Amino acid sequence: MDIRYTARPLDGAGVSTFLRSLPAKPLLLGLGEARHFVGELGELRNEIFRHLVEHEGYRSFAIESDCLRGLVVDDYVTTGAGTLDDVMERGFSHNFGTSPANRELVRWMRAYNKEHDEKLRFFGFDGPLEYWAESPRQALTALHALLDGPLPCTMETLDALLGPDDRWTNEATAMDPSQSIGQSVDAQRLRLIADDLVALLDTQAPRLSAEDRERAALYGRTAVGLLRYHSWMADASPERWTRLSALRDAMMAANLRAVAEQGPALVFAGNLHLQRNKSLMPFGDQALEWWSAGAIAETHLGDRYAFLASALGTVGDDIPSPDTVEGLLSTLPWDHSLIDARRLAEAVTKPAPRISHDFAYFPLDPAQLDMIDGIVFLKQAVRLKKLG
């Protein structure tokens, strides 16, 4: 079969046709990144989101960025709080605030909300972590402040147990578990307090506004997730990095389920986080394997979850071999294409895995094409930024 019959130009009409080919309208439409900081992919994402808002009823956008910092962006796009410069500096993790495409997206969402009563929402859905993790202070204290007594501890006790934030944010803990306080007596007591606060939230939910319930639930998920993550940061067993990777994606998945409660959303993150199959990644002398956020989310959403992977053709001197998926897709006549991945899997015969010179690029796995709903393909990426 000619692979042109599996593809179409990437435009608004193509996106709508793709959505109608799915068994159900997705509550979460995942758009994966084969590599972070690809300028054109961010621009295409913005075009897709605008089309989804204007023609398909989408009202939320979620990105692989700190869920608590994302509140800064959401406040700005919904109410105009702050300035765009400040929001881009404080509202993103992973250096994503420096992305021109992200800046344009936030600007457009704010402009849209000024003109419409039904507001667009912005969400970060990653945990507050890199390889190391943030202090649970913000999540715990914000949750504590939203609840009525009797509480499991005073704010003063909470502050004393947390101690200086640099005890938690020590980047050396990423490679040296002995420097982590995640299994200390204070941390273990904080885990019990976090559990009690989350239980209290359930008992007090009726007295809270919808906005406070949403935020309190986020604070609770984040506090519990961070304390679990810190506990495994202090673990010296061989399972440490596999468990940390799995915990991060589990936090992402819990946040995505909350985003889905707000209605249809476009989700933008690395392919590895949104794919349905297990994530596999070499890490030093280990091979890490864990279930991604997308795989976990689909167990709850079923066919209301859909996944568009992205892939790149030629990037500088990194040219895909003709017998790889990316090499085959490079023969399509369009610069930007939208491919039916399952039809492509039927049309191609045993393509070879791509070996990329770019360590930050994750090629398509030819054995997993039938686990993808569609592929957004850029024949050539020229505005490629260095990783932040």
Side-chain angles (χ1 to χ4, degrees):
M1 182 189 295
D2 188 332
I3 65 167
R4 284 179 295 179
Y5 293 107
T6 73
R8 59 178 64 90
L10 179 58
D11 55 21
V15 171
S16 289
T17 300
F18 165 75
L19 289 178
R20 281 151 184 70
S21 74
L22 298 173
K25 182 177 181 179
L27 279 172
L28 295 180
L29 174 59
L31 173 57
E33 291 181 280
R35 189 197 194 279
H36 291 316
F37 296 101
V38 178
E40 284 118 326
L41 182 58
E43 293 165 8
L44 286 171
R45 174 207 66 191
N46 290 354
E47 292 176 17
I48 291 170
F49 183 60
R50 284 194 291 269
H51 178 82
L52 292 173
V53 168
E54 294 168 354
H55 300 279
E56 300 294 341
Y58 279 59
R59 290 295 178 269
S60 295
F61 177 85
I63 190 172
E64 180 189 340
S65 182
D66 183 332
C67 56
L68 299 185
R69 292 194 185 196
L71 296 174
V72 175
V73 187
D74 190 50
D75 283 343
Y76 176 76
V77 301
T78 55
T79 71
T83 66
L84 181 57
D85 286 344
D86 181 58
V87 165
M88 299 309 298
E89 181 177 350
R90 296 194 301 113
F92 291 84
S93 59
H94 312 325
N95 207 33
F96 292 155
T98 64
S99 161
N102 286 345
R103 185 183 183 91
E104 173 56 23
L105 175 72
V106 173
R107 186 208 64 76
W108 180 81
M109 291 178 72
R110 177 59 195 146
Y112 181 95
N113 282 344
K114 286 181 179 178
E115 302 296 327
H116 297 81
D117 293 331
E118 190 176 4
K119 304 303 183 187
L120 304 181
R121 299 289 306 279
F122 181 99
F123 299 93
F125 72 94
D126 201 353
L129 47 88
E130 301 280 347
Y131 287 110
W132 45 273
E134 296 285 355
S135 165
R137 175 184 301 280
Q138 180 183 355
L140 280 171
T141 56
L143 177 58
H144 188 284
L146 284 170
L147 298 174
D148 270 347
L151 299 176
C153 70
T154 65
M155 191 69 83
E156 290 74 21
T157 298
L158 198 58
D159 186 66
L161 290 170
L162 287 163
D165 284 349
D166 59 12
R167 294 200 309 165
W168 300 92
T169 59
N170 178 9
E171 296 182 28
T173 58
M175 303 309 297
D176 184 359
S178 69
Q179 295 199 43
S180 171
I181 65 165
Q183 294 183 10
S184 65
V185 173
D186 286 351
Q188 291 177 27
R189 187 174 174 193
L190 285 168
R191 292 186 75 178
L192 292 174
I193 290 171
D195 182 72
D196 283 344
L197 290 174
V198 170
L200 277 174
L201 172 58
D202 286 338
T203 69
Q204 297 184 15
R207 73 168 186 81
L208 297 173
S209 68
E211 180 181 358
D212 282 347
R213 284 197 302 272
E214 179 186 326
R215 293 212 170 185
L218 171 62
Y219 295 138
R221 292 193 303 272
T222 305
V224 170
L226 275 175
L227 287 164
R228 286 175 184 155
Y229 195 91
H230 276 290
S231 180
W232 273 92
M233 288 287 285
D235 187 272
S237 73
E239 292 78 25
R240 179 177 186 253
W241 275 109
T242 294
R243 184 59 67 90
L244 289 172
S245 300
L247 285 173
R248 180 188 179 194
D249 271 74
M251 290 177 70
M252 287 183 171
N255 286 330
L256 286 178
R257 289 171 64 190
V259 170
E261 293 176 0
Q262 305 298 319
L266 179 66
V267 180
F268 190 66
N271 282 342
L272 289 183
H273 293 302
L274 297 182
Q275 65 190 18
R276 291 182 170 92
N277 51 295
K278 270 192 171 181
S279 296
L280 303 171
M281 187 174 73
F283 188 81
D285 58 355
Q286 299 182 63
L288 306 185
E289 183 176 353
W290 73 97
W291 288 109
S292 70
I296 298 169
E298 188 179 47
T299 63
H300 298 278
L301 296 175
D303 58 14
R304 304 303 301 276
Y305 178 76
F307 172 45
L308 281 167
S310 71
L312 307 178
T314 298
V315 183
D317 61 356
D318 188 11
I319 302 172
S321 173
D323 59 350
T324 63
V325 176
E326 288 94 329
L328 293 169
L329 295 179
S330 294
T331 65
L332 292 170
W334 312 292
D335 290 336
H336 306 142
S337 305
L338 180 57
I339 297 97
D340 183 324
R342 291 187 172 89
R343 292 185 68 194
L344 180 67
E346 296 172 355
V348 298
T349 304
K350 295 182 179 179
R354 179 179 183 178
I355 307 300
S356 175
H357 301 307
D358 183 353
F359 77 95
Y361 178 73
F362 291 88
L364 290 173
D365 183 347
Q368 301 292 344
L369 291 180
D370 60 350
M371 300 289 284
I372 301 169
D373 295 300
I375 300 168
V376 169
F377 182 68
L378 284 68
K379 184 180 291 189
Q380 186 171 30
V382 295
R383 291 190 289 279
L384 188 65
K385 290 196 170 187
K386 292 182 178 179
L387 289 176

